[in-house]
Amino acid sequence: MGQCGVISSKTVLVFLNLIFWAAAGILCYIGAYVFITYDDYDHFFEDIYTFIPAMVIIAVGTLLFVIGFIGCCATVRESRCGLVTFSAVLLLVFATEVVVVVLGYIYRAKVEAVVNHSIQKVYNEYKGTNTDAPSRAIDYVQRQLHCCGIHNYSDWMNTDWFNESKNNSVPVSCCKPSIRNCTGTLMRPEDLYPEGCEVLVVKKLKDIMLYVILAALTFAAIQMLGLLCACLVLCRRGHDPGYELLVSTGIDA
């Protein structure tokens, strides 16, 4: 019965190590996705702390790959030192993911205040040219999120660009894609997106942060299972008198 318990724990542990490798790739992908998405919206928040969860989750993904390698080698070779190292690193990564979850919740709550503080400034810096970074950012967001202005298209009337252009129109990025030959004129408001961008930008950034939190929680649970299996193997190795015999004759069997 003791030997069956050891074999069962080892099998689960090897399987979990394979999951860790897959998890490493998934976490790195999520971290990269967060970086790329935040890069598209970086003009709408000025605080670098919003990148911290993404950086941490990429580091965790890299560590998971190393953990999977250590765990597989330690399990196959019956290395007590390797299993102890595996468990210690796994515990460290688990603690790191708890930090990611906490930071994610904290920064997710701050997203709305940060966007509210910066979005008016970004719209005031709009120049309407592709060479201008704030202009590209606003046009990109309005096309991607199907929005216009901060609260609605009428917000453009309070911008320097609108007053200087004097053509009674908003950027063509406010135009609905189904409307042909749309010029953004306010004489045809039905051609424009009715919803403002502020709420949608906040929602987008909060959703991204939520993905990071859920990913961290999911893989933290998997790591706890791996840590439990490693502890079971270590305990069996130290207390089961038949374990050493199992190790030494396992190849012949």
Side-chain angles (χ1 to χ4, degrees), residues 9-163:
S9 298
K10 286 171 57 182
T11 302
V12 173
L13 188 56
V14 170
F15 178 71
L16 284 173
N17 286 320
L18 296 178
I19 293 180
F20 289 158
W21 278 336
I26 294 173
L27 286 177
C28 287
Y29 171 81
I30 292 174
Y33 171 74
V34 172
F35 265 117
I36 292 172
T37 306
Y38 272 3
D39 186 58
D40 294 330
Y41 296 86
D42 63 351
H43 284 83
F44 296 94
F45 53 86
E46 301 172 349
D47 298 284
I48 193 63
Y49 61 68
T50 48
F51 288 100
I52 293 178
M55 291 187 291
V56 173
I57 208 167
I58 289 176
V60 168
T62 305
L63 278 175
L64 275 181
F65 182 83
V66 177
I67 287 173
F69 179 77
I70 294 174
C72 279
C73 292
T75 304
V76 172
R77 296 183 180 183
E78 312 291 346
S79 170
R80 179 179 179 84
C81 179
L83 286 172
V84 170
T85 302
F86 170 77
S87 301
V89 177
L90 199 58
L91 187 61
L92 176 63
V93 173
F94 174 79
T96 304
E97 288 188 329
V98 172
V99 172
V100 170
V101 172
V102 173
L103 290 177
Y105 274 110
I106 292 174
Y107 297 154
R108 189 170 185 265
K110 292 183 176 181
V111 164
E112 186 170 359
V114 172
V115 173
N116 290 346
H117 178 265
S118 60
I119 193 168
Q120 183 66 60
K121 176 183 175 182
V122 177
Y123 269 83
N124 285 334
E125 293 176 349
Y126 187 83
K127 298 292 190 298
T129 61
N130 288 330
T131 57
D132 182 59
S135 300
R136 289 199 308 270
I138 290 175
D139 287 334
Y140 174 84
V141 167
Q142 292 190 152
R143 289 192 179 99
Q144 290 295 313
L145 301 183
H146 295 175
C147 58
C148 183
I150 300 175
H151 304 103
N152 54 58
Y153 61 83
S154 65
D155 292 322
W156 279 105
M157 299 171 66
N158 300 319
T159 63
D160 295 336
W161 174 83
F162 182 89
N163 294 326

